[in-house]
Amino acid sequence: DGTQGFLGSYTITQDHYNLTRIDFAKMSRLLRDSDKDSYNALRQQYPNSSLLWPQVGKLIYANGTIIAEEISGLRYNNLPIYWANYTPRVMKTKSAYYPTNHPPWTTHQYVADSVLYTLLSVLKTGMGCNGSTIQKEKAVKPPLPETTVAEKAEVERCFVCEKPIDQLDARAHNLVVNGTGTNNSGDSSINESPVVVTCGDWKWITDERKRSGWQSDEAGSLIRFRLKVSHSHSEIPTMSLTYMTSHATFGRFLVTFQPISKAEASPLMGCSDVAKFKNKTLLPSMEIDGRRQQFSLWETFIFSGQLDSNDGAANEVMKKTVLDKMGESKDVEYIDVYVLNNNYYGNEHRVKIQTVTSC
């Protein structure tokens, strides 16, 4: 019914704040259970068929052969594959086989049509174009509830950066300098570049859905992002990192920080420094996990300068790498953010960073 698991939290939030939503579960129940003549007629016309979303984990070849799951590689005699027991008949065009997560395009179209119909209905009513001559009272927007879905203490811990000091966003910034074959201590142009690959295979990529990011598939690969921080020493910086999480391919990575002062230029860390990440005393860092059970979604991790994060490891890294160093030096101008691909085992080898922000 869309009230449990991953989507349950969204449903609870929508109900709490009286937000309009497309209730796909209710649409499905109406088709299945409603006594209205229109729904009865559909069930009689298409018995044993799913009409909104394929609800069977089976596919069917064009010749009528049922298959339990799609086998990777070439299809039998290159025959097209269709969703079984689904109307209209839709050919499956992509290799991903997760019918509960990835319905055919018609399902997406039904949702889009429902959203547009609702928007047009609201516009017609608001503009007085609904054909009624009866004067109706102006709709009153329901007030926001005084309470929140989460506890007040948890909400207050959520950091919102309204005015970032600096930001590197892969959707707008596709330049990346390769510093893997350079003497990092001597080339100032590379050292001062905003995004530098200092070891391994990091690169900027994008796709047809514009999911841009700096990506690595090789363990031990190291990338550095340089961000400005406030010139006022009284303002403690907070750093955030937006990265891809997925049920396939994506894995873990390590993050550490290095404040850069005006007077003292620090050399870039490179391949010779990768081993230091294993020693948290020598180089404090934090591991972030890019794996999830379902879906592929961007997540943002915040390293709070107030040391009030729910994650003790994040607080420790910020204190040892940033705050303690800023206490020793009063002229910190930048903070270097290093990300290390830490996937040395298994198939979960990918790391993808979309945005790095200082606030």
mmCIF file with all atom_site columns, all heavy atoms in Angstrom, residues 115-128:
data_model
loop_
_atom_site.group_PDB
_atom_site.id
_atom_site.type_symbol
_atom_site.label_atom_id
_atom_site.label_alt_id
_atom_site.label_comp_id
_atom_site.label_asym_id
_atom_site.label_entity_id
_atom_site.label_seq_id
_atom_site.pdbx_PDB_ins_code
_atom_site.Cartn_x
_atom_site.Cartn_y
_atom_site.Cartn_z
_atom_site.occupancy
_atom_site.B_iso_or_equiv
_atom_site.pdbx_formal_charge
_atom_site.auth_seq_id
_atom_site.auth_comp_id
_atom_site.auth_asym_id
_atom_site.auth_atom_id
_atom_site.pdbx_PDB_model_num
ATOM 1   N N   . VAL A 1 115 ? -0.672  13.775 -12.858 1.00 0.00 ? 115 VAL A N   1
ATOM 2   C CA  . VAL A 1 115 ? -0.130  15.024 -12.320 1.00 0.00 ? 115 VAL A CA  1
ATOM 3   C C   . VAL A 1 115 ? -0.614  16.214 -13.147 1.00 0.00 ? 115 VAL A C   1
ATOM 4   O O   . VAL A 1 115 ? -1.076  17.234 -12.607 1.00 0.00 ? 115 VAL A O   1
ATOM 5   C CB  . VAL A 1 115 ? 1.417   14.981 -12.299 1.00 0.00 ? 115 VAL A CB  1
ATOM 6   C CG1 . VAL A 1 115 ? 1.987   16.356 -11.952 1.00 0.00 ? 115 VAL A CG1 1
ATOM 7   C CG2 . VAL A 1 115 ? 1.908   13.940 -11.301 1.00 0.00 ? 115 VAL A CG2 1
ATOM 8   N N   . LEU A 1 116 ? -0.544  16.101 -14.480 1.00 0.00 ? 116 LEU A N   1
ATOM 9   C CA  . LEU A 1 116 ? -0.956  17.200 -15.342 1.00 0.00 ? 116 LEU A CA  1
ATOM 10  C C   . LEU A 1 116 ? -2.454  17.472 -15.216 1.00 0.00 ? 116 LEU A C   1
ATOM 11  O O   . LEU A 1 116 ? -2.889  18.632 -15.176 1.00 0.00 ? 116 LEU A O   1
ATOM 12  C CB  . LEU A 1 116 ? -0.606  16.890 -16.800 1.00 0.00 ? 116 LEU A CB  1
ATOM 13  C CG  . LEU A 1 116 ? -0.874  18.011 -17.807 1.00 0.00 ? 116 LEU A CG  1
ATOM 14  C CD1 . LEU A 1 116 ? -0.115  19.281 -17.421 1.00 0.00 ? 116 LEU A CD1 1
ATOM 15  C CD2 . LEU A 1 116 ? -0.494  17.568 -19.211 1.00 0.00 ? 116 LEU A CD2 1
ATOM 16  N N   . TYR A 1 117 ? -3.258  16.408 -15.133 1.00 0.00 ? 117 TYR A N   1
ATOM 17  C CA  . TYR A 1 117 ? -4.707  16.574 -14.974 1.00 0.00 ? 117 TYR A CA  1
ATOM 18  C C   . TYR A 1 117 ? -5.016  17.332 -13.682 1.00 0.00 ? 117 TYR A C   1
ATOM 19  O O   . TYR A 1 117 ? -5.865  18.238 -13.658 1.00 0.00 ? 117 TYR A O   1
ATOM 20  C CB  . TYR A 1 117 ? -5.381  15.203 -14.959 1.00 0.00 ? 117 TYR A CB  1
ATOM 21  C CG  . TYR A 1 117 ? -6.873  15.265 -14.701 1.00 0.00 ? 117 TYR A CG  1
ATOM 22  C CD1 . TYR A 1 117 ? -7.765  15.525 -15.743 1.00 0.00 ? 117 TYR A CD1 1
ATOM 23  C CD2 . TYR A 1 117 ? -7.388  15.081 -13.419 1.00 0.00 ? 117 TYR A CD2 1
ATOM 24  C CE1 . TYR A 1 117 ? -9.135  15.597 -15.511 1.00 0.00 ? 117 TYR A CE1 1
ATOM 25  C CE2 . TYR A 1 117 ? -8.748  15.146 -13.174 1.00 0.00 ? 117 TYR A CE2 1
ATOM 26  C CZ  . TYR A 1 117 ? -9.619  15.414 -14.220 1.00 0.00 ? 117 TYR A CZ  1
ATOM 27  O OH  . TYR A 1 117 ? -10.962 15.485 -13.983 1.00 0.00 ? 117 TYR A OH  1
ATOM 28  N N   . THR A 1 118 ? -4.316  17.002 -12.618 1.00 0.00 ? 118 THR A N   1
ATOM 29  C CA  . THR A 1 118 ? -4.534  17.671 -11.332 1.00 0.00 ? 118 THR A CA  1
ATOM 30  C C   . THR A 1 118 ? -4.152  19.135 -11.409 1.00 0.00 ? 118 THR A C   1
ATOM 31  O O   . THR A 1 118 ? -4.883  20.016 -10.942 1.00 0.00 ? 118 THR A O   1
ATOM 32  C CB  . THR A 1 118 ? -3.716  16.973 -10.232 1.00 0.00 ? 118 THR A CB  1
ATOM 33  O OG1 . THR A 1 118 ? -4.083  15.595 -10.168 1.00 0.00 ? 118 THR A OG1 1
ATOM 34  C CG2 . THR A 1 118 ? -3.964  17.614 -8.877  1.00 0.00 ? 118 THR A CG2 1
ATOM 35  N N   . LEU A 1 119 ? -2.997  19.429 -12.031 1.00 0.00 ? 119 LEU A N   1
ATOM 36  C CA  . LEU A 1 119 ? -2.560  20.821 -12.159 1.00 0.00 ? 119 LEU A CA  1
ATOM 37  C C   . LEU A 1 119 ? -3.549  21.641 -12.980 1.00 0.00 ? 119 LEU A C   1
ATOM 38  O O   . LEU A 1 119 ? -3.880  22.787 -12.625 1.00 0.00 ? 119 LEU A O   1
ATOM 39  C CB  . LEU A 1 119 ? -1.172  20.868 -12.798 1.00 0.00 ? 119 LEU A CB  1
ATOM 40  C CG  . LEU A 1 119 ? -0.008  20.354 -11.943 1.00 0.00 ? 119 LEU A CG  1
ATOM 41  C CD1 . LEU A 1 119 ? 1.274   20.327 -12.767 1.00 0.00 ? 119 LEU A CD1 1
ATOM 42  C CD2 . LEU A 1 119 ? 0.175   21.210 -10.706 1.00 0.00 ? 119 LEU A CD2 1
ATOM 43  N N   . LEU A 1 120 ? -4.030  21.075 -14.085 1.00 0.00 ? 120 LEU A N   1
ATOM 44  C CA  . LEU A 1 120 ? -4.991  21.797 -14.927 1.00 0.00 ? 120 LEU A CA  1
ATOM 45  C C   . LEU A 1 120 ? -6.310  22.028 -14.202 1.00 0.00 ? 120 LEU A C   1
ATOM 46  O O   . LEU A 1 120 ? -6.940  23.079 -14.343 1.00 0.00 ? 120 LEU A O   1
ATOM 47  C CB  . LEU A 1 120 ? -5.226  21.019 -16.225 1.00 0.00 ? 120 LEU A CB  1
ATOM 48  C CG  . LEU A 1 120 ? -4.049  20.987 -17.206 1.00 0.00 ? 120 LEU A CG  1
ATOM 49  C CD1 . LEU A 1 120 ? -4.367  20.082 -18.391 1.00 0.00 ? 120 LEU A CD1 1
ATOM 50  C CD2 . LEU A 1 120 ? -3.706  22.393 -17.685 1.00 0.00 ? 120 LEU A CD2 1
ATOM 51  N N   . SER A 1 121 ? -6.729  21.042 -13.411 1.00 0.00 ? 121 SER A N   1
ATOM 52  C CA  . SER A 1 121 ? -7.971  21.200 -12.644 1.00 0.00 ? 121 SER A CA  1
ATOM 53  C C   . SER A 1 121 ? -7.847  22.324 -11.623 1.00 0.00 ? 121 SER A C   1
ATOM 54  O O   . SER A 1 121 ? -8.776  23.119 -11.428 1.00 0.00 ? 121 SER A O   1
ATOM 55  C CB  . SER A 1 121 ? -8.312  19.884 -11.933 1.00 0.00 ? 121 SER A CB  1
ATOM 56  O OG  . SER A 1 121 ? -8.539  18.845 -12.864 1.00 0.00 ? 121 SER A OG  1
ATOM 57  N N   . VAL A 1 122 ? -6.680  22.390 -10.957 1.00 0.00 ? 122 VAL A N   1
ATOM 58  C CA  . VAL A 1 122 ? -6.446  23.463 -9.982  1.00 0.00 ? 122 VAL A CA  1
ATOM 59  C C   . VAL A 1 122 ? -6.457  24.822 -10.679 1.00 0.00 ? 122 VAL A C   1
ATOM 60  O O   . VAL A 1 122 ? -7.056  25.797 -10.193 1.00 0.00 ? 122 VAL A O   1
ATOM 61  C CB  . VAL A 1 122 ? -5.107  23.239 -9.258  1.00 0.00 ? 122 VAL A CB  1
ATOM 62  C CG1 . VAL A 1 122 ? -4.733  24.463 -8.413  1.00 0.00 ? 122 VAL A CG1 1
ATOM 63  C CG2 . VAL A 1 122 ? -5.176  22.005 -8.381  1.00 0.00 ? 122 VAL A CG2 1
ATOM 64  N N   . LEU A 1 123 ? -5.821  24.920 -11.862 1.00 0.00 ? 123 LEU A N   1
ATOM 65  C CA  . LEU A 1 123 ? -5.793  26.175 -12.604 1.00 0.00 ? 123 LEU A CA  1
ATOM 66  C C   . LEU A 1 123 ? -7.192  26.605 -13.046 1.00 0.00 ? 123 LEU A C   1
ATOM 67  O O   . LEU A 1 123 ? -7.571  27.779 -12.934 1.00 0.00 ? 123 LEU A O   1
ATOM 68  C CB  . LEU A 1 123 ? -4.882  26.036 -13.820 1.00 0.00 ? 123 LEU A CB  1
ATOM 69  C CG  . LEU A 1 123 ? -3.374  26.075 -13.557 1.00 0.00 ? 123 LEU A CG  1
ATOM 70  C CD1 . LEU A 1 123 ? -2.604  25.745 -14.833 1.00 0.00 ? 123 LEU A CD1 1
ATOM 71  C CD2 . LEU A 1 123 ? -2.949  27.441 -13.031 1.00 0.00 ? 123 LEU A CD2 1
ATOM 72  N N   . LYS A 1 124 ? -7.965  25.649 -13.543 1.00 0.00 ? 124 LYS A N   1
ATOM 73  C CA  . LYS A 1 124 ? -9.318  25.968 -14.004 1.00 0.00 ? 124 LYS A CA  1
ATOM 74  C C   . LYS A 1 124 ? -10.178 26.495 -12.870 1.00 0.00 ? 124 LYS A C   1
ATOM 75  O O   . LYS A 1 124 ? -10.913 27.476 -13.019 1.00 0.00 ? 124 LYS A O   1
ATOM 76  C CB  . LYS A 1 124 ? -9.959  24.734 -14.634 1.00 0.00 ? 124 LYS A CB  1
ATOM 77  C CG  . LYS A 1 124 ? -9.378  24.364 -15.993 1.00 0.00 ? 124 LYS A CG  1
ATOM 78  C CD  . LYS A 1 124 ? -9.958  23.051 -16.494 1.00 0.00 ? 124 LYS A CD  1
ATOM 79  C CE  . LYS A 1 124 ? -11.449 23.159 -16.738 1.00 0.00 ? 124 LYS A CE  1
ATOM 80  N NZ  . LYS A 1 124 ? -11.988 21.897 -17.320 1.00 0.00 ? 124 LYS A NZ  1
ATOM 81  N N   . THR A 1 125 ? -10.058 25.845 -11.707 1.00 0.00 ? 125 THR A N   1
ATOM 82  C CA  . THR A 1 125 ? -10.857 26.278 -10.559 1.00 0.00 ? 125 THR A CA  1
ATOM 83  C C   . THR A 1 125 ? -10.399 27.653 -10.077 1.00 0.00 ? 125 THR A C   1
ATOM 84  O O   . THR A 1 125 ? -11.210 28.537 -9.799  1.00 0.00 ? 125 THR A O   1
ATOM 85  C CB  . THR A 1 125 ? -10.731 25.251 -9.416  1.00 0.00 ? 125 THR A CB  1
ATOM 86  O OG1 . THR A 1 125 ? -11.180 23.977 -9.878  1.00 0.00 ? 125 THR A OG1 1
ATOM 87  C CG2 . THR A 1 125 ? -11.551 25.681 -8.209  1.00 0.00 ? 125 THR A CG2 1
ATOM 88  N N   . GLY A 1 126 ? -9.081  27.834 -9.988  1.00 0.00 ? 126 GLY A N   1
ATOM 89  C CA  . GLY A 1 126 ? -8.545  29.098 -9.497  1.00 0.00 ? 126 GLY A CA  1
ATOM 90  C C   . GLY A 1 126 ? -8.847  30.268 -10.414 1.00 0.00 ? 126 GLY A C   1
ATOM 91  O O   . GLY A 1 126 ? -9.001  31.407 -9.962  1.00 0.00 ? 126 GLY A O   1
ATOM 92  N N   . MET A 1 127 ? -8.955  30.004 -11.722 1.00 0.00 ? 127 MET A N   1
ATOM 93  C CA  . MET A 1 127 ? -9.224  31.078 -12.683 1.00 0.00 ? 127 MET A CA  1
ATOM 94  C C   . MET A 1 127 ? -10.719 31.238 -12.973 1.00 0.00 ? 127 MET A C   1
ATOM 95  O O   . MET A 1 127 ? -11.110 32.055 -13.808 1.00 0.00 ? 127 MET A O   1
ATOM 96  C CB  . MET A 1 127 ? -8.477  30.787 -13.995 1.00 0.00 ? 127 MET A CB  1
ATOM 97  C CG  . MET A 1 127 ? -6.960  30.786 -13.835 1.00 0.00 ? 127 MET A CG  1
ATOM 98  S SD  . MET A 1 127 ? -6.110  30.246 -15.336 1.00 0.00 ? 127 MET A SD  1
ATOM 99  C CE  . MET A 1 127 ? -6.504  31.608 -16.444 1.00 0.00 ? 127 MET A CE  1
ATOM 100 N N   . GLY A 1 128 ? -11.551 30.454 -12.289 1.00 0.00 ? 128 GLY A N   1
ATOM 101 C CA  . GLY A 1 128 ? -12.989 30.554 -12.509 1.00 0.00 ? 128 GLY A CA  1
ATOM 102 C C   . GLY A 1 128 ? -13.436 29.996 -13.834 1.00 0.00 ? 128 GLY A C   1
ATOM 103 O O   . GLY A 1 128 ? -14.437 30.442 -14.398 1.00 0.00 ? 128 GLY A O   1
#
